[in-house]
Each structure stands twice: as C-alpha cells, then as structure tokens.
Amino acid sequence: MTRLLALLRSATLFGAALAASVALGPPASAQEPAGRVPFNDQELFLSGGNVAWVNFARDIGPGQTNLDAFAEAFASVQANGGNTLRLWLHTTGEATPAWSATETGVVTGPGAGAIEDLEAILDLAWEHEVGLMLCLWSFDMLQSGRSAQQFAHNRAILEDPAKTQTYIDHALVPMVEALADHPAAIAWEIFNEPEGMTTQFGWTPQRVGMADVQRFVNLTTGAIHRAAPDAVVTNGSWSFYASSDNVPGQNRMNYYRDDRLVAAGGDPDGTLDYYTVHYYEWGGTQISPFHHDVDHWGLDKPVAIAEFYLYDDRDLDHYQGYPTPEAQRVAARDAVYGVPWTDLYETLYDRGYAGALGWQWWDYWTDRDDGGQGQLNNWPRSEANMASLAAAHPEAVAVDAGFRLAAFTASPEGIEAGGESVLAWATRGASVTLDGAPVDPSGSVTVAPTETTTYTLVATDLDDASVSETATVTVRVLDPDQVNRALDGTTTGSTWETCCGAPLVPGLATDGDPATRWSSAWNDGSGGGTPDVYLDDDPDDEWLAVDLGAAYDVARVVLEWEAAYAAAYTIETSYDGVLWTTVATEPDGGGEREETVLFPPVPARHVRMHGAERATIGGQQYGYSLYEMEVYGLASAEQPPEVELTSPGVMAVVAPGAAVAVAAAASDPDGTVQRVAFFLDGEPLATDDAAPFTATWTAAAEGEHVLTAVATDDSGIAVSTPPSPVLVAPGGAFRRFEAEAAALAGDATVTAAAGASGGSYVSLDGESGGTLVWEVPVRASGTYTVTVGYTLPFGEKTQYLVVDGDTTALRFTGPLGTWLQRRAEVELTAGVAEIRLERYWGYMGVDYLGVEEAALPGVATEAGPGAGLRLDPPRPNPAARAATLAFSLAEAGPVRLDVFDVTGRCVAVALDEALPAGPHEAALDTSRLSSGVYLVRLAAGGETVARPVAVAR
C-alpha cells in the first residue's frame, strides 16, 4: 500500500546513481512469459488493480456494504479488458473477525454478516467477469489508530500460535469453506505488507518479528489448503527485500520460501502457490520489476506485482514535501525510472511476471500536507494499460466464463390468487427465451398466474447453436389457507449462534430453504467452557418472532426442528410486537415437524415461538434450532393501526423542567385512528383524538423516564409503541466537546448558527462521507452515557458511532430544524478514548459530543454531602440472567430499587433496606423477566432516579 509521506521522504532517493547501476534497455527477450495464476480453469496473467476497500476495514461485517461502489470498480475493470481486483478484508481486525469479550486474542467467529457480505461482493464481481484476490490482514493491524484492546488482540494472534488457531478455526476456515467454490475467488492472500509491522523492516508503532509473520502465514496457508484443496494462496510482500535471496543487504531474503515457512510454523501444507510483491519508486531500480526479468529474483513460483503507481510529471503535487525542487522533480519523473507509464503492464508481461495490479481504483491522494486532496491520474492510466494489454495479448487475460445457465428461480413458488411471483434467471454466453419469447441473458420478470403454471427458460450457446440448456420453475396458485405468511417476513430472535461458522441468524428460519436454519445461543449449564461456544447464561428462555406484514387470522403454526428442538415451548401472538399473548402451550415437544392448530383462528400480525425447555440430544445441550417456522391463515377482516413516537426522538435527552413536545404518527390501513394515548413511566400522560397526535410533558424530573404511545382504531384494536427511554439531565451532567473542535474529514463542514452550542455546528453533507473525531480523556474504565447534539434538516438519519474501534449504528430522529440530543451507552477505557461519528447516511447537523462527567478526570464518583442521588447505567445492558445496579447515596436512610414493565406495573424489587451514604451495588435477577425493556427506579431521601434496562434472551 502507499507509504506515509514521511516514510517516502526519509527513504533514499535512488535517482540517477541506481538508474546507472542497471541496464535500462528493453527486456531481455520478448518470449512468452512463463508465470501464470490459475483462475476459472484457466492460466491467466492477472491484469487489473486494487479496489482494496470502499470503507476501510469495514467492507464486510457490521454495517452496510456499499455494493454500488464495488460495482463501479468491477465495471471499470471489465470495460477495459482487465480480469482482477485485489480486496482487503479484516485489515485491522476492528470490524471483523469477532473477538471474545473476556479473553484477549481469542477469535469467536468471522463476524456478523462477514461471509454474507463477502459473498455478495464476489457475486457482483463475477457478474462483471472479474476475479478477486482476497487479502485477509494488513500491517495496519499494528498501525497507529487502533485501540489498546485491538492492539492486544492483534498481537496475540500474531505471536501466540494457540490464539492463531482460534482465528483459523472460528473465522478463516468457515470463510474458506463457505466461499471456496466461488468462481470469482482467485486466491486467498494472507497479508498486505506484513513487513511493515516487523522489527526487521517496519514503520508501525508496535512491531513483531518476521518469525511471527512467517509462522502466521504458514499456519493459515496450511489451514486453507486443507479446508479447500483447490484453493490458491499467496502473500503480499512489501518489496523484493523480503521476497528474494538475490538482493544484497542485511535481513534481505525470501522469507516466504517453502522450507522457511514450514520451519517457522511446522505445517507442511502451509506453502504459497504464487508470490505477490509490491513496488514503489523509493526502491529505485535495484528492486524494480520493471527493470529486471522475473528470473532475476531466483524464485520458483509465479510472481505477480500487485501494487505500484503509474506516475508522470503531472503528479508533482504528490511530491510537494520533498526537500528540494530537484528531489521533487526526480521523484515525479516520467513513470518509473525511464519506463513510460503507458508501458508498465506490458513491461511486466514481457519480463515474465504473472500479474500487474496498479494502485488504486479511485483517483485521489489524500495525504497532502494541507489536508486537501491532490488528484492523481493513476486509475485512468491503469485502465489504459489494461486495455492495451488486452488488445495485445487477449489469450493471456481474457476470462472465459463459458456458456452456462446459472440460475432460474421463482420467488415465492406458492402464491394465492391475485398474488405475484418474481421469475429471475442468470446465464453466460447465451441467447435466452422464456416460454418462447426472447429475453435478456440475465434478468427478471413479475408474473401473476391465475392457476398453477410452469415456466420454461431455454439458454442457447452463442458460439454453438446446437448446445442449449433448459430449466423450468413452477408457480403454484394455492388456496389462501395454504400460503405460508411467514415466508421472507421480518424475523427477529432473542439470540443466535455465531460460534461455529456463518451466524445462524433468525431470517434463516423463514427463508423457505429447508437446508438453512436459525439456532439460538447456548450453554451447557456448567458455567465453564470457552466463550465462542458457551454464549448464553439462560439458553432455555429463547424466542423467534416473525412480522407477517399485516394481520392474519392465524390458524396453524408449523415448526420444522433440527435435532436441537424444544421440549417445551409456547406460541404467542401480537398486533404490535410489543405486547404478547400466549395462544398455545406445548409441554411435551417431540421435535421434527410439529404443527399447532389454533381454533378459532387468532388475529395477529406477529407470531412468536417462545422456548421454555430444551431437549437433550446425545448427552449434549444445544440451543433451539429451527429449519423453518411457517404461519398459515387468512387475511383478517380488521387490520391493526400503526403508531410510532416521532418526538422527542430515539434515546432523547432533555433538560429538567423543560416543556417536552411529545408526538406520535398513527394511521389505520382500513379505517381511522380514534385516539392516541401517551404514557409516561406507565402512567397516563395525555390523550389526543385527532391528528397530529401530540402531548406536552412539563416539569420533567431528573432521571430516566419511559414514554409510550397507544393508538386505538375505529374497530377498537389498540397497538403500542415500544418503550422510548428519555433521560432528563442538566447540562452540567455532561461535558461538551464541540463538533467544530473535532478533527474533521470528508464532507464535514463547519456552519455558523445562532442556536447551536458555541455558535456553530458541523454539517454532514454530500455523498463521499464525513467523519468527526474527538480525543476524550477518561478517568476510569466503565460504561458511560454519551450524547450527540444534532439537528435534522431532511428527516431521520442513521450514522456510525465508533468508540476505540467498536462501531454502533445510531438512529437520529425527531422534529426537523430543532436542536435535539441523542444518547448511547458506551464502554470507555481509562486513558484517552477516540470517539468518532462517521457518516453512514449523512445530511445531518452535528452540534457537539457530550460525555458523562463521571468519565472525565477530576470528577468525583463517590457520593457526599450535597452530591445527590445517582444511579449508574445497569451492566450488562441488555441483561440475560442478571444485571448489576451501581448507585450512590448522599445520605444514609431507606433505599428501594423497583423494576417496572412498560405498562407501569412493578414486576420486581431489587433492594429494600436502609444503607449508609456512599457508593453501593445491588444485583437484579432478570431470569424470570420476559425479554423487553424495563425501568429501574431508585428511591432514597425523598428523591427518585431511573434507568432503563433491556432483558434479551
């Protein structure tokens, strides 16, 4: 990857001296190059570039993957005759893989959504007939910017073979096994420039030895080869200093030679299939692949050059920091020491290399000294090189995807009369007809048959009309009571298993695929074991719920169990997904296929299987595992209303004594909303019988409160919003860090505004992203409340809050053009925390970051005279079986901790006794509480404070 300018400037400018030391004539011969890389049943010269990342270190895993940006890169390569892009995956370890919360360096899985995201990127690449080199890690794992915890995790898997094995077992092998047969996967690349984090060559603040790198490469490569014997593995070396025995100098050798890798790690399968090496101009001609044939390096495998720039003298802006104009001119000379940029790919081809991948697919250099962006023309030059190489050597670079009928599907396959199904197909190298009519080679069409119909797709080879393939799908028109209303519905679960490969998420139980399943997290009850397996303290109390999208008179619920079934469970229904009613109880479940018949049918929009007791299978305890949950019934004559609290916003913060505007949006699909009743902490606040539905909450007392709204329609059906916690806190409870004082990047612009804190705010606009970074001193590690002051000019938005590398998506709601506050509970580590607000959706104003005073240096945490009553956020939150409640008393006396549900009913008493002044803790047993949000209220000395606690099992 590109070096920091400081490294570039400190490197020796080899210049004319080195240029003179190497013959700069044409390649030794124009012979057919021997080096090739196996891909798509071909032996190809890899011609393309580096997509590297769209969202650095976060393209797979938590958060949304920007497939549109990837499509742009893939289309660029395809249009210019290229065949390869290189993509970085874990990179830093901050988003993926998943790490144990209790053991440093223990990997528990590939990361939520990582495999699915990578598969989607690969699918998109193959649509454009582009292959990907999948680079797992980079030297960035030990580069500045990582949290202390992330450094510790990363060092552990590099230095401790046992920790390496947790990565191999729980992340790498599941990824490889899931994607080994994907046609777009060219190779797995272990590292990007690992030498950068070594004591022998490195530039990162923390470093390991080259022996650690060699062992990691050996162990991971061997694991890949055993998991997928046909998989190809490489490693991206910083330069030939670390990849050849023929470069003189201390520490310079081929560290990735077979015998050296095996000696370092002991795995005989852990040897590379081809070498990948980078080149930048600081290396002069001594280690330039553009000035030496591949044989010069004495290597016994194909060698691809996977990073380099395509410079010319128009790129002087990149070199403004060089010490003299002459040094600047030399560094920016026409391309690479006499080789024109127009000839770089062709030169590597002629000199016998196996690939040429320029850096990088966008055209901007973002490390200029003034913080701006200096435009390079690097990618257009890569495109031109790809095109010229494809024209000169099409047989070496053209991907022959071949003729095939890849897919023909109908979704759904069963509809009721008047319903619709989408037929979709994908072919390559074919002309296609659907029921005799010509259609595009790949596409889709919506059909609405009135009776069961079979559709026929015929694909004919464009190169040989005598070769064709035929596929059929049947769309069945069903009686309404035979339609599975749960199919592809929005599905949620109390937990899901992430330990052992791709996460077994709730939606897998309603996707109509009998081979996929949801599995809840589990525990063998012993309290022991490793964190990646024993995931849940109370695995008997788990649930799976589906939103049917509308109300149906539910007549049957079918459960297709995997071997881990429920010995006892209930079926529950709801109009709103908040308040549930048990409609059937199964005390003696037998597994396999179980059908619950409800007579008379029960009107509901949401249906839930709520486990009570797991079965024991073969002496082992597992979670609940469902292949499918199906729901059958006719559309209800009466549909429920819908209601949402729109003000004061999600997780809002308001000032004590303020007049808080409360508002709800409500509608009814088959009638009218008669009224909306608002509740504060379970007690009636106000009722409004006409839209807009509003109320005013005045004289708010300090502490945590919960707002709910219940809408009732003209049929008498009532639905509730989920509880909406609101914190009433004085401004002094949080220290403000102004947005305009943050480090800003991307589309983040300081804007003056009279109503903003400090007189200005930061506007997140545009399409290329914006980021605010605050450095916050933290007195003591713990869970704290932070707030974001914001305004919404266009409507609700979602952004990312990143605290020391841990990312949370925050939804910002509320009335437009108003200054609002949104809070979150975060874990802060003593020292200096990096808190970032990163644009996901943008188009929002950020006023400030508020950090709870207790987190900051110089703030007392123990109560004393006049300190008042304090209740800290419950931990953990959400809680499974228990939560700890920390609180402080200003004076001795009776203390009571009550727990209320969303209706205001007291469901538990955590503490009721007299205590002395000062800090205390109490345990809250949540094992008997249903999943949901509760309010914990602390009463002492005539004062009350409250905090929400979520129970999730």
Side-chain angles (χ1 to χ4, degrees):
M1 125 172 214
T2 57
R3 297 283 66 77
L4 297 174
L5 278 182
L7 179 64
L8 283 170
R9 292 169 193 151
S10 64
T12 302
L13 289 176
F14 290 94
L18 283 176
S21 69
V22 179
L24 296 182
S29 67
Q31 62 191 7
E32 184 70 15
R36 291 290 184 269
V37 174
F39 172 46
N40 187 43
D41 297 323
Q42 298 174 257
E43 297 289 325
L44 291 179
F45 181 90
L46 304 183
S47 174
N50 282 261
V51 64
W53 62 80
V54 170
N55 186 6
F56 182 75
R58 289 183 171 86
D59 283 322
I60 64 172
Q64 185 172 348
T65 298
N66 188 346
L67 293 177
D68 289 343
F70 281 107
E72 181 183 348
F74 300 153
S76 172
V77 172
Q78 181 185 34
N80 289 281
N83 57 32
T84 303
L85 279 169
R86 181 167 168 259
L87 170 67
W88 294 13
L89 303 179
H90 308 308
T91 311
T92 64
E94 290 169 305
T96 65
W99 302 90
S100 167
T102 58
E103 293 189 58
T104 298
V106 171
V107 174
T108 60
I115 292 176
E116 291 81 359
D117 291 343
L118 181 53
E119 185 173 25
I121 296 171
L122 285 163
D123 287 346
L124 193 59
W126 195 234
E127 287 181 21
H128 292 85
E129 298 183 4
V130 170
L132 299 183
M133 283 175 51
L134 305 173
C135 181
L136 296 167
W137 295 95
S138 173
F139 70 85
D140 296 272
M141 62 197 301
L142 295 185
Q143 182 60 287
S144 57
R146 311 286 80 78
S147 68
Q149 181 62 66
Q150 194 61 57
F151 273 134
H153 281 320
N154 293 345
R155 288 192 72 103
I157 64 168
L158 292 170
E159 297 178 316
D160 184 342
K163 302 296 178 63
T164 305
Q165 197 63 41
T166 70
Y167 167 68
I168 290 171
D169 292 342
H170 302 142
L172 179 60
V173 168
M175 291 172 66
V176 173
E177 288 180 341
L179 301 169
D181 295 330
H182 201 290
I186 297 175
W188 297 88
E189 184 179 10
I190 307 303
F191 280 118
N192 167 71
E193 301 186 358
E195 300 84 8
M197 59 182 178
T198 66
T199 54
Q200 287 87 340
F201 301 106
W203 53 83
T204 60
Q206 295 198 27
R207 301 180 192 177
V208 295
M210 276 301 298
D212 297 310
V213 169
Q214 290 174 297
R215 180 177 58 249
F216 191 93
V217 170
N218 173 250
L219 295 177
T220 52
T221 300
I224 293 171
H225 282 150
R226 285 186 293 277
D230 294 332
V232 175
V233 187
T234 187
N235 184 69
S237 177
W238 151 74
S239 75
F240 280 110
Y241 285 154
S243 297
S244 173
D245 291 334
N246 292 353
V247 180
Q250 185 177 7
N251 293 329
R252 298 175 184 177
M253 67 176 73
N254 178 13
Y255 288 88
Y256 308 106
R257 203 172 72 183
D258 289 0
D259 58 332
R260 290 169 180 159
L261 288 180
V262 174
D267 189 335
D269 295 328
T271 59
L272 302 178
D273 296 295
Y274 70 98
Y275 295 118
T276 301
V277 184
H278 304 170
Y279 172 77
Y280 288 98
E281 79 284 0
W282 60 262
T285 57
Q286 182 189 37
I287 54 173
S288 167
F290 302 100
H291 299 82
H292 298 283
D293 290 348
V294 70
D295 293 344
H296 174 79
W297 313 110
L299 301 175
D300 58 352
K301 301 179 182 184
V303 182
I305 307 302
E307 285 189 23
F308 56 90
Y309 272 131
L310 294 89
Y311 295 129
D312 73 4
D313 56 12
R314 287 175 291 174
D315 294 324
L316 289 174
D317 181 65
H318 171 60
Y319 297 96
Q320 287 179 349
Y322 275 77
T324 66
E326 175 61 18
Q328 178 182 336
R329 187 192 63 77
V330 170
R333 64 179 42 161
D334 187 10
V336 182
Y337 298 100
V339 181
W341 69 261
T342 53
D343 298 340
L344 291 179
Y345 281 45
E346 186 88 19
T347 297
L348 293 178
Y349 179 91
D350 289 341
R351 287 198 177 274
Y353 294 92
L357 306 180
W359 181 271
Q360 177 177 18
W361 79 277
W362 62 72
D363 299 338
Y364 293 93
W365 173 270
T366 57
D367 276 347
R368 246 174 43 186
D369 287 346
D370 62 3
Q373 292 183 322
Q375 186 169 8
L376 297 172
N377 297 299
N378 198 54
W379 186 250
R381 296 175 191 153
S382 293
E383 292 176 318
N385 271 258
M386 285 182 248
S388 62
L389 193 63
H393 305 285
E395 75 291 342
V397 299
V399 175
D400 181 8
F403 162 71
R404 63 187 177 124
L405 197 168
F408 184 37
T409 61
S411 179
E413 294 181 351
I415 62 173
E416 59 185 309
E420 295 180 338
S421 179
V422 176
L423 308 182
W425 61 93
T427 71
R428 291 192 182 278
S431 61
V432 182
T433 62
L434 176 63
D435 287 344
V439 293
D440 290 337
S442 295
S444 64
V445 64
T446 300
V447 296
T450 57
E451 60 184 13
T452 296
T453 303
T454 297
Y455 299 87
T456 301
L457 189 85
V458 178
T460 302
D461 191 340
L462 288 173
D463 297 326
D464 185 352
S466 67
V467 177
S468 65
E469 291 187 24
T470 300
T472 62
V473 295
T474 298
V475 178
R476 294 177 297 132
V477 178
L478 305 171
D479 291 337
D481 62 356
Q482 297 298 311
V483 177
N484 176 15
R485 309 297 179 179
L487 183 65
D488 293 328
T490 300
T491 308
T492 54
S494 52
T495 62
W496 54 89
E497 182 181 300
T498 61
C499 72
C500 312
L504 303 180
V505 296
L508 297 175
T510 55
D511 63 357
D513 185 347
T516 62
R517 61 188 176 94
W518 163 73
S519 181
S520 64
W522 58 282
N523 186 313
D524 71 348
S526 69
T530 56
D532 60 306
V533 175
Y534 304 112
L535 301 174
D536 192 346
D537 289 333
D538 188 8
D540 283 314
D541 185 9
E542 305 284 353
W543 53 264
L544 182 79
V546 60
D547 180 353
L548 307 178
Y552 291 88
D553 294 330
V554 177
R556 293 185 297 132
V557 178
V558 177
L559 304 176
E560 288 279 1
W561 293 102
E562 195 248 1
Y565 63 93
Y569 60 91
T570 58
I571 300 297
E572 301 167 349
T573 60
S574 173
Y575 272 127
D576 52 25
V578 177
L579 303 175
W580 294 89
T581 300
T582 298
V583 295
T585 300
E586 176 53 72
D588 189 22
E592 298 184 351
R593 181 181 176 89
E594 293 185 316
E595 180 173 321
T596 299
V597 176
L598 303 178
F599 187 81
V602 177
R605 174 170 171 167
H606 302 261
V607 178
R608 182 163 78 176
M609 185 288 299
H610 200 149
E613 180 183 352
R614 293 167 300 148
T616 299
I617 307 299
Q620 294 288 329
Q621 290 276 4
Y622 295 94
Y624 300 109
S625 185
L626 274 171
Y627 286 119
E628 287 295 308
M629 182 168 78
E630 302 168 0
V631 178
Y632 296 90
L634 304 179
S636 293
E638 301 289 347
Q639 294 294 314
E642 296 184 357
V643 61
E644 180 183 13
L645 275 168
T646 58
S647 181
V650 174
M651 296 295 287
V653 183
V654 299
V660 181
V662 183
S667 61
D668 186 41
D670 58 1
T672 59
V673 175
Q674 297 293 92
R675 62 185 176 277
V676 172
F678 296 94
F679 294 83
L680 174 64
D681 298 336
E683 298 293 330
L685 176 66
T687 298
D688 197 345
D689 57 7
F693 301 102
T694 62
T696 301
W697 168 25
T698 57
E702 287 188 30
E704 189 80 38
H705 299 271
V706 172
L707 289 169
T708 53
V710 176
T712 304
D713 69 5
D714 54 351
S715 299
I717 300 175
V719 297
S720 174
T721 65
S724 181
V726 179
L727 177 65
V728 179
F734 298 91
R735 187 181 302 175
R736 292 189 177 185
F737 296 81
E738 296 295 340
E740 56 270 28
L744 306 180
D747 291 324
T749 306
V750 176
T751 304
S757 172
S760 60
Y761 69 99
V762 170
S763 179
L764 295 179
D765 295 320
E767 297 295 335
S768 63
T771 301
L772 299 88
V773 182
W774 294 273
E775 299 290 336
V776 177
V778 179
R779 182 191 59 80
S781 300
T783 303
Y784 296 96
T785 300
V786 298
T787 64
V788 178
Y790 68 99
T791 186
L792 297 169
F794 303 113
E796 82 167 52
K797 295 291 179 282
T798 296
Q799 320 293 357
Y800 292 129
L801 183 71
V802 185
V803 180
D804 288 336
D806 293 330
T807 302
T808 302
L810 296 186
R811 178 184 172 214
F812 292 89
T813 67
L816 303 186
T818 302
W819 294 107
L820 305 165
Q821 293 188 72
R822 205 279 194 207
R823 65 192 162 99
E825 307 294 333
V826 301
E827 294 293 327
L828 298 179
T829 302
V832 177
E834 180 187 84
I835 301 180
R836 306 162 61 92
L837 191 71
E838 295 185 352
R839 175 193 182 279
Y840 165 64
W841 191 256
Y843 298 104
M844 186 182 93
V846 182
D847 194 8
Y848 58 85
L849 173 77
V851 180
E852 189 176 1
E853 282 283 4
L856 302 171
V859 179
T861 58
E862 294 191 4
L869 191 65
R870 177 183 177 84
L871 176 62
D872 290 340
R875 61 182 196 273
N877 193 4
R881 299 194 66 178
T884 299
L885 306 173
F887 59 96
S888 295
L889 307 176
E891 58 186 36
V895 179
R896 186 177 173 101
L897 277 165
D898 293 307
V899 182
F900 299 89
D901 66 13
V902 295
T903 68
R905 180 172 59 97
C906 182
V907 295
V909 178
L911 183 71
D912 186 7
E913 60 181 273
L915 294 173
H920 301 276
E921 286 190 350
L924 171 61
D925 180 3
T926 62
S927 62
R928 298 184 181 276
L929 299 180
S930 299
S931 296
V933 177
Y934 296 85
L935 190 72
V936 179
R937 187 177 69 189
L938 171 66
E943 296 182 78
T944 62
V945 292
R947 291 274 193 178
V949 60
V951 177
R953 295 194 297 277

